[in-house]
Amino acid sequence: QVQLVESGGGLVQTGGSLRLSCAASGRTFSGSAMGWFRQAPGKEREFVAAITWRADTTYYADSVKGRFTISRDNAKNTVYLQMHSLKPEDTAVYYCAASPGRATIIWSEYVYWGQGTQVTVSS
């Protein structure tokens, strides 16, 4: 089993940057693909980024491509989401998730989820 704890969220102005971290416990982290999803009030959960367990392939939603970067450090059991040029529409609760299978944009294929961290971008 994998337990995930996100951190790094907060309040930032438009154009600012944040780096989210997701610390994982459990022996399967290094074999898991990892993803970031977000959910804004009144909206469905949406895919943000994903990374394979070897970190050789990454995937991004079109809305964040070129602004966000997902990375991982398997020695530290941690996955990161570096966010630049933040916009008010990026405001949401951000969740990291682990998939024992492939990296995917489909949230239902992720088995383990963190509790989420709030990101608020002020205009």
Side-chain angles (χ1 to χ4, degrees):
Q1 187 170 351
V2 177
Q3 294 179 323
L4 306 173
V5 179
E6 302 96 334
S7 62
L11 174 65
V12 64
Q13 292 184 335
T14 296
S17 298
L18 283 174
R19 188 176 82 155
L20 305 183
S21 299
C22 174
S25 61
R27 61 185 181 90
T28 61
F29 174 79
S30 64
S32 296
M34 299 296 296
W36 285 96
F37 291 78
R38 66 187 182 187
Q39 188 165 18
K43 295 188 176 181
E44 294 188 351
R45 190 176 329 185
E46 66 171 350
F47 168 77
V48 176
I51 187 168
T52 57
W53 77 272
R54 287 191 175 95
D56 52 356
T57 306
T58 56
Y59 305 89
Y60 296 95
D62 288 343
S63 59
V64 307
K65 204 171 291 183
R67 300 188 298 122
F68 292 10
T69 302
I70 188 171
S71 62
R72 66 190 295 165
D73 185 338
N74 288 343
K76 295 182 179 180
N77 283 3
T78 301
V79 63
Y80 304 97
L81 185 68
Q82 179 68 56
M83 306 185 293
H84 294 298
S85 302
L86 283 161
K87 306 174 182 180
E89 51 263 44
D90 295 318
T91 295
V93 177
Y94 283 70
Y95 300 91
C96 72
S99 167
R102 62 191 180 99
T104 173
I105 68 172
I106 303 171
W107 69 265
S108 60
E109 295 195 15
Y110 289 81
V111 176
Y112 305 106
W113 290 82
Q115 83 289 348
T117 185
Q118 176 71 46
V119 171
T120 303
V121 184
S122 64
S123 58

